Amino acid sequence: MDSALIPEGVKRCSFGKFILWIIIVGAVLLWGVVAMLLCWFKGLNQTNMNDAYGFAMWIWADLAVIALGGGAFFTGLLRYVIGKDELKNIINYAVLIGFICYSSALLILAIDIGQPLRGWFIFWHANVHSMLTEVAFCLSCYFAVLTIEYIPLILENRQIDKVPFFHNLSHNMHGIMVIFAATGAFLSFFHQGSLGGTPAVLYGRPFAFREGVLIWPWTFFLFTWSAAACGPCFTILVTWITEKITRKKLVRQNVIMLLAKIAGWMLATYTVAKIIDTWYWATVTAPASGFNFMDFYSNNPLYGPWILVLEIVVCGVIPSLILITKTGRKSSFLLISAVLLAVLGACVNRWVMVLQVMAVPVLTFESWFMYFPSWQEIATTILPVAYGIILIMISYRYLPIFPQEQELEEEKNASIFV
Amino acid sequence: MKVCRRSFLSLVIGGAAGTTLSPLPWKLMDDSSIWTQMWPWTPVPEDGEVSYVNTVCSLCPGGCGLTVRKINERAIKIEGMKAYPVNDGGVCLLGLSGLQLLYGPTRVKTPLKRVGARGEGRWEKISWEDAISEVVKKLADLRAKGLSHTVGCISDSDRGTVAHLLGRFLTVYGSPNFIRTPSMQDSYEQTMHLMHGVQASAGFDVENADFILSFGSGLIDGWGSPVRMFKVNSALKGKGKLVQVEPRLSNTAAKSDKWIPIKPGTEAALALGLAHVIIKESLYNRDFVNNYSFGFNDWTDDRGRSHKGFKKLVLDEYGPDDVAEITGISDSTIIALARSFARASKPLAVCGRGQGNTPGGLSEFMAVHALNALVGNINKKGGVWAVPDPDYIRWPEVEMDINAAKGMQANRIDGAGGKTYPDSRYLLNRFPEAVNSGKEYPMKALFVVGANPVYTIPDSKAVKEAFDKIPFVVSFSSYMDETAANADLILPNHVFLERYEDVPMPAGLQKPIVGFSKPVVKPQFNTRHVGDVIIQIAKSFGGVIADAFPWDNYEACLQKTLGNKWNALNKEGFWLDSNFMAKGWKRAFSTPSGKFEFFSRAFAAKNENLFQQFRPVEPEGDEGRFPLILIPYDYMRLASGCIGDPPFAIKTVEDTVLKGDDILVEVNPKSGRGFREGDQAILSTPKGAVKVRVHLFDGIMPGLVAMPRGLGHTAYDEYLADKGINFNELIGPVEDPASGLDAAWGIRAKLTRA
Amino acid sequence: MLPFSFEWLWDISHMLFMGGLWYALTILGLGMTYCIIKAAIDTSKGKGSH
Amino acid sequence: MKEEHKHGKASKFGMVIDLDKCTGCGSCMVACMSENNVPFKKDETNKLDSITWLRIYKLTNGKKFPETDICYIPRPCMQCEGDHGHSPCVSVCPATATDYNHETGIVSQIYTRCFGCRYCMAACPYHARYFNWWDPVWPDGMEKYLSPNVSPRMRGVVEKCSFCFHRYQLAKNKAYAQGRRELKEDEYQTACTQACPAGAITFGDLNNSHHAVYKLVKPDNKHGGRPRNPNAFRLLERLGTNPKVYYLSSREWVRRAGDNYIKDEVKKEHH
Amino acid sequence: MSTLDEKAKEASTEAVDEVETVLPPKEKKQDNGPWGYIILFFIIGFAASLVIGWGIFPKLLYSQKKQPIDFNHVIHVEAVEEGCESCHFFREDGSFSGVPKLVQCVDCHEEVMGEDPNEVKFVEEYVAKGQEVPWLVYSKQPDCVFFSHIAHVKMGKIECDTCHGHIGESTHSRVYEENRFTGYSRDIWGKNIAGLKKNTWDRMKMDDCAECHAENKAVPKTVERLPWPISWMPRPYEKPTSSQVRTQIDKDACFVCHK
């Protein structure tokens, strides 16, 4: 039915099946949209946030998707600026995932603020000293970059490509993509960093506060570093999932290996830096404001030392070791486990830097603040996931996302018939 | 077709480009943000000319001066009146939220007549004329049947012109049943009556005392005139000492120099134990005791019976060991306390539990007052003064017709002033019993003015039952309170910010002062001053009743009554008898002996010796079934009197007192074993069982459960109703054997899992 | 925020920060404009027709 | 000459609360709420969504009966100055909706500029900032008591104590009418100070050695206003927020409750 | 592809005829397929949206309201002694009275004095009934704005017309235009929809306050330190220096004007 739109030389499932899945995921999306509208029209009382939890699940989701979307900027940097050419076979998907992550982040921000209609004040009345201003600026600019990177992909749709203007446009955009990618990398570096700075500049919150260099607290660099490490891992993970679902090999293993290796070394170095940071914070920064390191991990039902072990050892050291060793990467199981752990590690780190910051009591006469999100919060957080799945489904079906798909498919068929 | 599509796309792009270059999107973006700043559903307060009006607060017996800020015709803020003798600029949170009472949804906006069943909440609006004629018809009917004495009136005060108008009306109408709501004032008045032989209030010169010994009085929890007591407490810092004797770490205890936890109900024993030490160590004021007191040594009464003197009594029976046993306070503490009290230059002992809204046992008041006498701190700087009511209401004597005279000869329904309790003036705590049992006579009609007995009187169930038995209940409440909700007719009074009224004598003040409430704003609703309504009712009767009310209206009455003080009051807001001095010891006492009486001879003539009879008032209930004791506590953020807390006040209540609609009761972790903080529980007493939550608090004596007063309203608005539990539902009155007043201080209870 | 706004301060933070923002936006804007115009020219030259 | 120099010097308004006198009665809270048009809801027992610019905390010394002690700490906005001249909340606000006024030392909050990101709330360790989770609704007729000097806030913005800044402005207006520019100490007092029945709150200019607040705490203005009175302390002094709200207490445990100390750490005395 | 285009072209011959004159030469059109239409529709869209944005939109955005009474300032200014302040005066507490209340008007207009039908209406409908006139205030700022008249007029010696224009010279009340969306007076944004102004009183937005404050008291020190003294750039502001009487210009003083 829609065969004219499907890229040449590849096979896709029947249109009916496709629509059925769109409807199923769409239902989840709709649930999220209802929750979103409730939040917009009735206000943030629809959430379980409160004056102690001004930042909660959404900000965590925001930080997490941005970190995971970091695959786009880092792969782009490697592909266009540094010139790792093999990565051209995965860059499209990385861009798509990045686009989904960043558009989701912007959407979540638009729901999260109390006065969405005044959201533009952040640009027009900007306070340049605020980390959040930097985040908003770079986030929206980088989203523009991702859009620019995504547009040529759309233009490569079989029917659209037939239009000479669009064909030329796509061609030209590819031509100067290196400029866009470089700008994107620059923007991304800063906003990933400012996200790291967001909690770390809160000198009234000893759990979050970090010292640093000039205006940048250490977590500024840690966040950028971890996004560069975990973002590609997320790209690998999503590619693997897509391959499993489509039951096809979409990207050659050598591409995956290269990305995994780079990500592995990034993760390893990040983990070392994170350990040093934690050590310094636990022994110097926090005690200076009267806190014992263990004060942050005891007397509460959730945040125990386990969370630190999970983040640094289980989701840092272990996946690093797997990814930097050739044997580790070679084993499909270990590889996927490692990228999964790395992704989880980024999420846990963002969780800790947002929610545990809120939970720790600072005044001596207060106790731990606990919070559980309302269904509206959960629904609006799942909303981007559903939206991402739908966008991936449509893009995979109609756009030549995976340049190697056709040849891999032919090879596979050949191997079967030979 | 393709052209169409492309052209359309082109049109759209052109349109977008043009729109971007027009003011439309930018102006709309700007305006939409301005719209969020000016949402039509967010009120914009009107600006205008600022003015200030002074008045006096009558929400509690404190009588503070207020300055109300107005914008045009709106009252927008209440502040304390600077230089007002009671509060000098300070003001409590209830007074501060007065505007919420003025403009609040709980106001009764017009006279209402009950349509459905009692308390069902169905009302019919009626005109003032109809309402008044209905009252008059009913009263005239009763009077004609010779039942005038079955009409009663419950009022929050018996002072000032409004109370006098009510009393005067009942007198000419022919009923002795004017009843004042109970408070520690009753016990103190009786103490003054028996020990000083005078009809007076107790005034405390706390400003000049340097050692205040409080037997459970919530000096900074709303006792007396609250703001004044706060000021005193602050002034005392560094200059004097405050010792708080109380089973629970109240705010007063926490702010005191020493908190002495005591088994509840044994305060009188402690007072006598202190007396023991003072006498034994000869620390008492010889001049006063030897020359101006009676009953210190053994004595013989008119009938020749010999009595133990105060000295012998306490030396024999209240040695520190005995008292330590009774009170749970160590003997060394008792001795040390007695010494520091007696050695202070101006020691002062006070009592009246919490905010003093319950009278308490007379023996306790007399024992504590005896301590003041021992140190000679009576009618002296820094001591207790007997303060007579300001004497400015001098209306001609009423002329009674036969009906009235006959009605007035009937016994009071509450038994006050009768055979059993000859020295008591009002015993509202006995009223429910009297009505329910019908022993004396059935009550046929009841007026309630400035009081909310259905809520404030212990054993709410019995009170409600009594009200149900009275066929005609008229409430003059400005608010839809519990009593109004259970009335047949509501004749809403102006609230204090809308009316003229004299407010005599703030509680516990040592100087006679009359405060002056005046209207700050015009009446907001179709309400009438209760004084006006009484005058109108009286006038409708005609004859002697009308003759007793020669004034056109209340304002005229007040102006006439105040005479040359009117102008000064209007200007200053208060009238103070600055020359007033308590009478010296020589002339102070009008007892049979002419001296301060440790033992009242008048009383002894009728009763057995009080102190020999001293027994702690036992709480109701069986210890086996109810292992704990429930005590109430008062604190400033909850009004426990007839005024329901406005939203602002409720907002300040901590979440360890009220959580959602659940009340939290304080329990020591030792007694609350098995409960975690915030757990639900069933609290039961012999009077009933309620659902509560547990607040584990180390500041309360093990074995006790403490519950705040002032919650559990069922009427009023949604900001107050159904929050928590009314303590009075869980306790019943315990009659003091000497005075008949309610001496209950707690009740046996148990706490079980919910 | 533009330097025309009274909230603008001529200090290093504003110049660097806002400068960076406008710089990035300019690059993106110019880049896209270039691509579109060049595509239009290319198309008019008949390039890209299949 | 000296007088002239003082004229026009920036003020630093501060508050001193004597915890020995404070009775926890709640007058300050209500005075504040009624002065500043603070709304209320049907249920205000969830203190985490209940707007009270000035909140009274109840502290206990944690000891068992009968050694237990309690103390109340009224907590308005601390009007932090910060170590580096920036308050924790001001520097983080992305839209300049809150700022530090150098003329008065007060941290402002502009409701109509705020777009509700709540970053400032995350930054404030005192929980002095409140978010309007709900539309403010007054029961019919009660909006009559609203003061025109303070705008009612709309849903979705953050609000906090302003040291009754509007009173400063009204006092200034009055002074202008009399041809003066300077204010006397008693001309500008916050609503809570004025209402406190215990006289526990003192308010004035910490830069002016004639003012009572200065005499009470003797701030060391060279070191962020650290109090020199040994009974005076500030909340979370060690974080370097430099609050302008000081507390006085004669009880050691209360003073110690003002800050965090590592176990067995002896309180460092600064002299 | 080209066949499709031609079909479409045939279908819309009429449209082509109509606009042929403004189109590029025919041969070019034939060469380049549909470009002519594309440009044409672009221009149509562009022009139409400009007309809507600049012309129709402002008309729709504002509703027009008439003052309850047509007020003649000239007559009143002549009749009083102290100019504007005779009726728009300062109260003792320094607050500004704004539009006069009935009480002030009644001083003269207890009864009808002249023959103006507006005065008759005023006396009959308002004075007699004791009802305040619901004047529409042109310069009414949103509720969040705090403005101290006395600081500007008494201390700053600024003339009324600097902000309010020569309203004292008006003989009639002009139409009051209300923004349908935000509910406040058009005078704040200004008559000019682009927000441009010629006179100081043409607009009353925050930027206009800021402009005046900057002009009057900014201390242009920073500018000298900067390498680019660009004349069109607004003058920068400095932190307050100690003892001078200065106009409020700090960025750190939002709540001086906002409540």
Side-chain angles (χ1 to χ4, degrees), chain A residues 260-325:
Chain A
K261 188 177 161 192
I262 296 170
W265 280 105
M266 295 297 290
L267 189 63
T269 45
Y270 162 73
T271 307
V272 172
K274 172 76 188 172
I275 290 169
I276 297 172
D277 168 70
T278 308
W279 190 267
Y280 184 79
W281 161 76
T283 54
V284 180
T285 319
S289 36
F291 283 87
N292 236 329
F293 165 65
M294 276 310 289
D295 292 343
F296 300 129
Y297 296 98
S298 34
N299 300 322
N300 78 88
L302 177 64
Y303 299 103
W306 66 271
I307 203 161
L308 205 62
V309 176
L310 175 70
E311 188 198 331
I312 294 179
V313 181
V314 180
C315 299
V317 178
I318 293 176
S320 313
L321 291 177
I322 295 174
L323 291 177
I324 59 175
T325 51

Side-chain angles (χ1 to χ4, degrees), chain D residues 105-164:
Chain D
I106 300 174
V107 176
S108 70
Q109 176 73 21
I110 313 302
Y111 319 117
T112 48
R113 173 64 74 81
C114 172
F115 63 82
C117 76
R118 307 182 297 287
Y119 194 11
C120 55
M121 297 171 69
C124 174
Y126 305 102
H127 296 296
R129 295 181 153 270
Y130 292 87
F131 188 71
N132 281 270
W133 301 100
W134 308 85
D135 271 313
V137 179
W138 281 269
D140 199 23
M142 226 196 248
E143 70 284 339
K144 273 193 191 166
Y145 75 63
L146 294 179
S147 157
N149 300 323
V150 185
S151 306
R153 279 71 61 185
M154 62 294 294
R155 181 231 289 164
V157 299
V158 171
E159 62 183 71
K160 69 160 195 79
C161 154
S162 65
F163 267 1
C164 290

Side-chain angles (χ1 to χ4, degrees), chain E residues 62-215:
Chain E
Y62 294 102
S63 69
Q64 305 219 324
K65 289 183 176 174
K66 257 178 74 180
Q67 293 282 7
I69 304 280
D70 187 17
F71 187 84
N72 187 332
H73 265 99
V74 174
I75 292 183
H76 286 86
V77 173
E78 279 167 7
V80 295
E81 280 169 12
E82 287 170 45
C84 307
E85 282 192 44
S86 311
C87 300
H88 310 284
F89 58 91
F90 288 103
R91 303 193 191 100
E92 254 177 53
D93 60 3
S95 61
F96 183 63
S97 65
V99 178
K101 292 260 185 243
L102 208 54
V103 201
Q104 292 160 246
C105 308
V106 165
D107 281 348
C108 303
H109 295 279
E110 187 83 61
E111 270 152 29
V112 183
M113 299 161 80
E115 279 159 21
D116 190 329
N118 276 297
E119 199 211 347
V120 177
K121 187 180 166 197
F122 172 66
V123 173
E124 281 175 0
E125 285 188 21
Y126 298 100
V127 178
K129 292 179 187 165
Q131 225 170 32
E132 291 292 343
V133 186
W135 296 109
L136 301 161
V137 184
Y138 300 109
S139 50
K140 185 159 185 156
Q141 288 280 345
D143 178 48
C144 60
V145 179
F146 173 88
F147 180 82
S148 169
H149 270 93
I150 201 160
H152 291 84
V153 178
K154 279 263 154 60
M155 305 313 268
K157 309 269 182 257
I158 293 173
E159 295 300 323
C160 303
D161 54 20
T162 309
C163 306
H164 294 287
H166 301 291
I167 193 148
E169 292 166 22
S170 67
T171 49
H172 290 283
S173 299
R174 65 197 158 88
V175 171
Y176 173 89
E177 288 183 275
E178 189 180 273
N179 186 312
R180 289 180 205 270
F181 206 2
T182 64
Y184 73 103
S185 165
R186 183 170 186 166
D187 285 41
I188 308 301
W189 175 268
K191 195 77 187 157
N192 186 307
I193 189 65
L196 299 174
K197 63 171 185 177
K198 287 183 213 130
N199 307 304
T200 48
W201 56 84
D202 281 351
R203 255 182 19 174
M204 300 176 93
K205 294 261 300 177
M206 180 164 69
D207 288 346
D208 304 285
C209 303
E211 188 183 320
C212 187
H213 279 251
E215 265 171 31

Side-chain angles (χ1 to χ4, degrees), chain B residues 5-166:
Chain B
R5 208 160 66 198
R6 284 185 195 178
S7 306
F8 180 71
L9 199 68
S10 183
L11 184 81
V12 170
I13 293 172
T19 309
T20 329
L21 293 176
S22 83
L24 189 140
W26 316 113
K27 179 87 174 112
L28 276 184
M29 190 164 79
D30 192 23
D31 280 358
S32 67
S33 72
I34 294 168
W35 175 70
T36 67
Q37 300 171 4
M38 321 237 323
W39 277 336
W41 58 88
T42 312
V44 176
E46 181 206 16
D47 206 350
E49 187 167 6
V50 180
S51 60
Y52 294 88
V53 183
N54 288 339
T55 186
V56 166
C57 181
S58 51
L59 294 176
C60 89
C64 292
L66 303 178
T67 299
V68 183
R69 183 158 85 233
K70 288 175 69 181
I71 296 281
N72 297 341
E73 288 309 305
R74 302 188 294 130
I76 62 153
K77 173 85 192 294
I78 291 180
E79 282 160 11
M81 198 196 300
K82 288 207 178 92
Y84 193 77
V86 178
N87 59 317
D88 186 22
V91 58
C92 82
L93 87 171
L94 184 62
L96 277 164
S97 6
L99 297 180
Q100 293 195 318
L101 295 170
L102 171 67
Y103 295 121
T106 186
R107 290 285 305 266
V108 178
K109 300 181 173 71
T110 182
L112 295 176
K113 186 184 171 184
R114 176 170 64 85
V115 186
R118 269 275 177 83
E120 194 189 327
R122 284 173 56 218
W123 303 93
E124 171 188 60
K125 292 178 183 170
I126 56 170
S127 72
W128 273 104
E129 281 55 46
D130 290 354
I132 288 173
S133 73
E134 187 145 334
V135 173
V136 171
K137 212 179 108 210
K138 199 86 185 176
L139 293 186
D141 193 34
L142 287 170
R143 200 169 196 255
K145 288 183 189 153
L147 291 172
S148 67
H149 59 286
T150 64
V151 176
C153 175
I154 298 175
S155 163
D156 61 331
S157 167
D158 62 349
R159 294 202 191 113
T161 47
V162 170
H164 275 76
L165 282 174
L166 288 165

Side-chain angles (χ1 to χ4, degrees), chain A residues 34-353:
Chain A
V34 169
M36 178 180 83
L37 293 177
L38 277 175
C39 292
W40 272 339
F41 286 100
K42 290 193 169 181
L44 293 181
N45 49 53
Q46 298 294 303
T47 72
N48 273 355
M49 287 192 278
N50 54 44
D51 291 332
Y53 269 97
F55 283 174
M57 191 185 194
W58 283 336
I59 297 293
W60 164 72
D62 220 70
L63 263 66
V65 295
I66 290 169
L68 300 178
F73 100 84
F74 193 60
T75 320
L77 181 79
L78 293 170
R79 154 84 175 82
Y80 295 106
V81 183
I82 297 175
K84 294 276 177 196
D85 231 24
E86 299 97 306
L87 296 179
K88 67 169 187 265
N89 294 315
I90 200 166
I91 185 73
N92 288 352
Y93 206 37
V95 163
L96 174 58
I97 294 168
F99 179 82
I100 290 167
C101 287
Y102 277 79
S103 49
S104 302
L106 284 172
L107 178 70
I108 292 176
L109 278 183
I111 309 170
D112 181 65
I113 57 176
Q115 288 279 355
L117 288 175
R118 296 186 206 160
W120 54 277
F121 284 9
I122 202 169
F123 301 105
W124 197 242
H125 301 296
N127 169 20
V128 295
H129 303 287
S130 170
M131 283 292 170
L132 210 59
T133 312
E134 203 172 320
V135 171
F137 277 27
C138 295
L139 201 65
S140 27
C141 287
Y142 186 59
F143 177 63
V145 171
L146 281 170
T147 313
I148 290 172
E149 289 181 352
Y150 185 43
I151 285 173
L153 265 176
I154 301 174
L155 299 182
E156 276 169 25
N157 171 280
R158 210 163 76 185
Q159 293 306 321
I160 299 176
D161 193 55
K162 282 180 185 162
V163 181
F165 175 74
F166 291 143
H167 178 85
N168 292 330
L169 182 61
S170 156
H171 179 78
N172 290 333
M173 286 174 77
H174 274 301
I176 59 162
M177 198 52 87
V178 61
I179 295 175
F180 292 135
T183 313
F186 165 80
L187 287 168
S188 207
F189 177 83
F190 275 98
H191 86 75
Q192 295 282 3
S194 353
L195 279 175
T198 307
V201 295
L202 305 178
Y203 66 95
R205 299 279 193 167
F207 179 75
F209 179 63
R210 292 293 190 284
E211 289 162 58
V213 52
L214 294 177
I215 59 164
W216 296 289
W218 301 128
T219 45
F220 185 94
F221 307 103
L222 286 176
F223 265 52
T224 310
W225 208 248
S226 66
C230 302
C233 291
F234 187 62
T235 313
I236 295 173
L237 184 68
V238 177
T239 310
W240 179 76
I241 294 171
T242 315
E243 286 178 343
K244 287 292 145 198
I245 290 174
T246 59
R247 291 192 218 103
K248 273 183 204 154
K249 189 77 189 138
L250 298 169
V251 180
R252 271 188 207 284
Q253 202 59 19
N254 69 324
V255 179
I256 301 283
M257 284 298 134
L258 176 66
L259 201 56
K261 188 177 161 192
I262 296 170
W265 280 105
M266 295 297 290
L267 189 63
T269 45
Y270 162 73
T271 307
V272 172
K274 172 76 188 172
I275 290 169
I276 297 172
D277 168 70
T278 308
W279 190 267
Y280 184 79
W281 161 76
T283 54
V284 180
T285 319
S289 36
F291 283 87
N292 236 329
F293 165 65
M294 276 310 289
D295 292 343
F296 300 129
Y297 296 98
S298 34
N299 300 322
N300 78 88
L302 177 64
Y303 299 103
W306 66 271
I307 203 161
L308 205 62
V309 176
L310 175 70
E311 188 198 331
I312 294 179
V313 181
V314 180
C315 299
V317 178
I318 293 176
S320 313
L321 291 177
I322 295 174
L323 291 177
I324 59 175
T325 51
K326 206 167 181 182
T327 33
R329 289 199 299 274
K330 277 269 162 73
S331 152
S332 169
F333 171 73
L334 283 180
L335 175 73
I336 294 307
S337 307
V339 294
L340 191 67
L341 283 178
V343 166
L344 181 67
C347 294
V348 171
N349 175 260
R350 283 3 181 214
W351 178 276
V352 166
M353 289 308 274

